[in-house]
Amino acid sequence: MGSGPAAGSVRARYLVFFQYLGTDFNGSAAVRGAQRAVGVQNYLEEAAEKLKSVVPVKFIISSRTDAGVHALSNAAHLDVQRRSGLPPFSPEVLTEALNTHLKHPAIRVLQAFRVPSDFHARYCATSRTYLYRLVTGCPGRLDVAAMREAAQHLLGTHDFSAFQSAGSPSTSSVRTLRRASVSLDPAGPFVLPQESRRLQFWSLEFESQSFLYRQVRRMTAILVAAGLGAVTPTQVKMVLQSRDPLGRHQTHVAPAHGLFLKSVLFEGLRDLGPASSSSKASGLMVCSRRPQTAARRGHLSGPPGATACAA
């Protein structure tokens, strides 16, 4: 017979999707100790204290974002162990409880799912997509053709050392970039008509299973440089092949406030999205080698992004 507060209790693991405006946070990861800067994880775990789990709840976040970076949909797994005799929370009740007790209006839990006890939100993720929003108001516009040509040189499996900032914990700098796109976007409902006539909005999207530290912001910076004529697409290829993060063009990093983590995808998570029914959402999901489907994508109205007019 077991003894202690956890005897007879059942531990349930959940995968949750959440979104946030990163302006007020020191990144997604928790900040421990007496530091004033606080991460998104701090607020999530503070809300989870109200669940009265036998064991303190810890969020294991799929994708760590830097200070100032936003997320349309990030993911994390967590374990909740209720007292003996109490059934596990349904995913719907868990989502509502977390949102009720969240103390920061810039964070919102989108949806929760039951997953097996060995599921891991970081290691089971098969795809991550980042979106960078640009706004231009200069007399000269971006050369989109040059940007798209330069982006083609980044696609595929490469050593991305040239686009990695110091401080990366990764043991390997080889990554596979599956998609790099540049597109012109509508102004959106929050831009005045007179402003929309002189401004142009652009989206840069990058998809990979994982990225190096600040890789997306560095790639964004060099693609914008190609759009402004500061580098040629061929030079972008040479930068990649140099594997030198300290070269003339490699040291430029796009501002954090224009970057959004758009989605995190998982294999084997069927019917995972806004249209999921209650019965489907409460079922167990597996981290397997079955065809992947899109994760829940939140709807977050954030800042338009960084300007390409800056020197």
Side-chain angles (χ1 to χ4, degrees), residues 11-15 77-80 113-120 284:
R11 178 177 297 186
R13 178 161 293 188
Y14 301 87
L15 169 67
H77 77 256
L78 62 146
D79 293 329
V80 181
F113 298 87
R114 281 289 304 277
V115 290
S117 59
D118 60 350
F119 179 91
H120 198 287
L284 288 177

Side-chain angles (χ1 to χ4, degrees), residues 17 62-63 73-75 121 125 127-129 261-266 294-295:
F17 292 90
S62 174
S63 302
S73 183
N74 203 340
S127 173
R128 294 170 173 87
T129 297
L261 173 60
K262 184 177 181 180
S263 64
V264 183
L265 308 185
F266 298 89

Side-chain angles (χ1 to χ4, degrees), residues 35-250:
Q35 302 178 51
R36 294 184 61 185
V38 177
V40 174
Q41 185 180 353
N42 291 101
Y43 284 95
L44 290 170
E45 291 180 351
E46 182 181 29
E49 291 177 3
K50 303 298 183 179
L51 301 175
K52 300 186 185 305
S53 175
V54 173
V55 178
V57 176
K58 183 178 181 181
F59 280 69
I60 307 300
I61 295 178
S62 174
S63 302
R64 295 185 62 169
T65 55
D66 291 342
V69 176
H70 321 290
L72 297 173
S73 183
N74 203 340
H77 77 256
L78 62 146
D79 293 329
V80 181
Q81 188 166 345
R82 304 191 72 190
R83 297 193 305 274
S84 178
L86 295 177
F89 291 114
S90 71
E92 295 80 8
V93 169
L94 179 74
T95 300
E96 183 178 358
L98 290 173
N99 282 327
T100 297
H101 297 293
L102 271 169
K103 293 184 177 180
H104 202 295
I107 309 172
R108 181 75 177 175
V109 176
L110 302 170
Q111 204 165 8
F113 298 87
R114 281 289 304 277
V115 290
S117 59
D118 60 350
F119 179 91
H120 198 287
R122 179 182 175 189
Y123 301 124
C124 286
T126 58
S127 173
R128 294 170 173 87
T129 297
Y130 280 89
L131 163 70
Y132 200 96
R133 289 274 285 165
L134 289 168
V135 57
T136 58
C138 318
R141 302 298 186 180
L142 292 174
D143 184 343
V144 179
M147 295 175 70
R148 289 172 175 165
E149 182 182 346
Q152 290 299 306
H153 294 306
L154 302 177
L155 291 175
T157 303
H158 307 284
D159 184 332
F160 282 94
S161 296
F163 297 98
Q164 176 178 242
S165 289
S168 174
S170 302
T171 57
S172 172
S173 52
V174 175
R175 294 292 186 272
T176 300
L177 187 64
R178 300 170 183 166
R179 182 163 57 93
S181 63
V182 182
S183 60
L184 179 63
D185 285 348
F190 303 107
V191 180
L192 296 175
Q194 61 268 30
E195 292 295 320
S196 65
R197 286 192 290 269
R198 71 178 188 87
L199 299 176
Q200 285 191 325
F201 294 85
W202 307 86
S203 288
L204 280 67
E205 287 196 22
F206 304 92
E207 180 187 358
S208 177
Q209 182 173 3
S210 62
F211 293 91
L212 299 171
Y213 180 48
R214 291 185 177 174
Q215 179 186 345
V216 173
R217 290 166 61 189
R218 282 174 170 252
M219 291 190 301
T220 296
I222 203 162
L223 291 185
V224 170
L228 294 172
V231 297
T232 65
T234 301
Q235 286 177 306
V236 173
K237 181 180 180 180
M238 294 171 61
V239 166
L240 174 67
Q241 294 174 339
S242 74
R243 302 181 183 179
D244 177 14
L246 301 178
R248 176 184 175 186
H249 301 291
Q250 296 89 296

